[in-house]
Amino acid sequence: MLTLFHAAQTRSSRILWLIEELGADVEVVHCEIAWRNGQKVGEADPKNPHPDGKVPALIHDGSLITESAAVALYLTDLHTQAGLGAPVGSPERGALLTWLTWAAGELEPALFARMGGASDPYSDARYEAAMDRLMEALWNGPFLMGARFTVADVMIGSTLAWVRLMLPDSPLFSRYLERLVARPANARARARDSAVALEQAA
C-alpha cells in the first residue's frame, strides 16, 4: 500500500507527475501546509506524517519516506517497468543519482538565492555553473540523460518550469520545457492539482 501526502500546486506536485508517468497505484491524501512561497499560510496538517509538516511524504507498508529526491527514487525503484530509473549496478545508475542529488544540493539552493535577491560573487558563480551544466546536458539531449526520459527530468524539469523567468534566454530551455509540458502524464497531473485547488478555493 502506497500513500502520498500532498498539497496541490506545491513542489510535491512533481511527485504527482511522477506517479502518473509510472502508472503507480498510489493513494493521494491532500494536506494543509504551514508555509507556501515563503509565507506563513496556516498550521501543519496533523494527519501528515512528515516530521516537519511538509510535503511530499510517502508511506509504504508502514515505512515513511520524505524529501522529494528520496520519494522520487523510491517510487521509481519500485516501478522499474516504467523505465524512468536505472537499476542498481546498471551503467546509468550513478548519473541518475548524481542528477537527483545535484538538483537538491546545488540547483535549488542556487535558484532560491537568486530568487531572494542574492548578488555576490559566490551566489552568482553558483547560479551560472548550474545553468552551464544544464545547458551542456540539454545540448546533448533531448533529455538530461540523453535520449531517454527519466525521473531526473521530472524532478529538474518541474523546478525549471517553476522558475522559467529566472532562466537564461536560451532555446535549449524553451524546447526542453515544451517537451515536458507536452507529456500526457504531466497534463494529467496538472489537471488533478488544478481540480483540487479549485475545490479548496470554493
Side-chain angles (χ1 to χ4, degrees), residues 98-113 122-123 125-127 129-131 133:
T98 298
W99 276 119
L100 291 177
T101 54
W102 175 83
E106 284 295 325
L107 175 63
E108 292 182 8
L111 291 172
F112 293 154
Y122 174 75
S123 297
R126 193 179 197 185
Y127 170 82
M131 296 301 103
R133 185 165 179 173

Side-chain angles (χ1 to χ4, degrees), residues 124-136:
D124 292 345
R126 193 179 197 185
Y127 170 82
E128 290 165 9
M131 296 301 103
D132 287 346
R133 185 165 179 173
L134 288 168
M135 286 194 285
E136 180 180 0

Side-chain angles (χ1 to χ4, degrees), residues 48-187:
N48 182 2
H50 194 299
D52 301 323
K54 298 179 180 180
V55 289
L58 182 72
I59 296 277
H60 183 210
D61 293 338
S63 295
L64 173 65
I65 305 95
T66 66
E67 313 319 312
S68 291
V71 171
L73 184 62
Y74 192 92
L75 286 170
T76 305
D77 282 350
L78 280 179
H79 299 85
T80 56
Q81 77 287 348
L84 269 66
V88 174
S90 71
E92 291 184 308
R93 182 71 173 187
L96 184 70
L97 294 178
T98 298
W99 276 119
L100 291 177
T101 54
W102 175 83
E106 284 295 325
L107 175 63
E108 292 182 8
L111 291 172
F112 293 154
R114 178 61 60 101
M115 288 173 64
S119 183
D120 58 79
Y122 174 75
S123 297
D124 292 345
R126 193 179 197 185
Y127 170 82
E128 290 165 9
M131 296 301 103
D132 287 346
R133 185 165 179 173
L134 288 168
M135 286 194 285
E136 180 180 0
L138 295 176
W139 180 261
N140 296 317
F143 298 108
L144 292 173
M145 289 182 57
R148 187 166 71 91
F149 175 84
T150 70
V151 61
D153 295 294
V154 173
M155 299 300 289
I156 292 175
S158 61
T159 298
L160 298 181
W162 182 52
V163 298
R164 179 64 186 95
L165 295 178
M166 292 176 48
L167 302 179
D169 185 15
S170 167
L172 287 172
F173 286 120
S174 298
R175 289 194 295 264
Y176 178 60
L177 294 175
E178 286 168 5
R179 284 192 289 274
L180 299 186
V181 168
R183 295 186 68 82
N186 191 342

